[in-house]
Amino acid sequence: MAFGTDRQMFDVDLSCAKCGAHISQLPFQPSGDRPVYCSDCNRAFRDSNRDSRGGGFSRSTGPRQMYSVNLTCATCGQAITQLPFQPTGDKPVYCRDCMQAKRG
Ligand SMILES: [Zn+2]
Ligand SMILES: [Zn+2]
């Protein structure tokens, strides 16, 4: 068998653990204690892994982590129960309204 490829293939007689497709060749020697997958399923796995690593999604749209606090706004005195950051205690905190007003 000359495919013009430099990758060694092992002749096997297995079926894909996911879709059941027959596998006659693998690029590695199957150990027997791990499921093997056809090339289609392998590619699907690789694609989904790449997605879950967060390559394409933008951070700004997700819900932000909020910290529960028991503080009052340094400007207007309004009670603040949640902050998008962990308050350090040595800086004044402001409610959302005052934060926005400060930003302009
Ligand atoms: Zn498969
Ligand atoms: Zn305020």
Side-chain angles (χ1 to χ4, degrees), residues 14-95:
L14 298 165
S15 46
C16 172
K18 195 177 181 200
C19 72
H22 181 246
I23 303 171
S24 57
Q25 285 202 317
L26 280 174
F28 56 89
Q29 181 89 60
S31 62
D33 58 354
R34 281 177 186 219
V36 291
Y37 302 98
C38 69
S39 54
D40 285 347
C41 290
N42 266 323
R43 199 176 318 132
F45 276 133
R46 267 203 301 270
D47 288 350
S48 62
N49 281 346
R50 198 188 311 140
D51 288 348
S52 69
R53 244 177 274 154
F57 80 94
S58 79
R59 278 182 184 196
S60 55
T61 51
R64 236 194 227 181
Q65 187 188 355
M66 297 296 282
Y67 295 88
S68 293
V69 296
N70 186 21
L71 300 165
T72 49
C73 172
T75 301
C76 72
Q78 190 181 137
I80 301 171
T81 55
Q82 287 201 316
L83 280 175
F85 57 88
Q86 181 92 60
T88 58
D90 58 353
K91 284 186 185 183
V93 292
Y94 304 96
C95 70

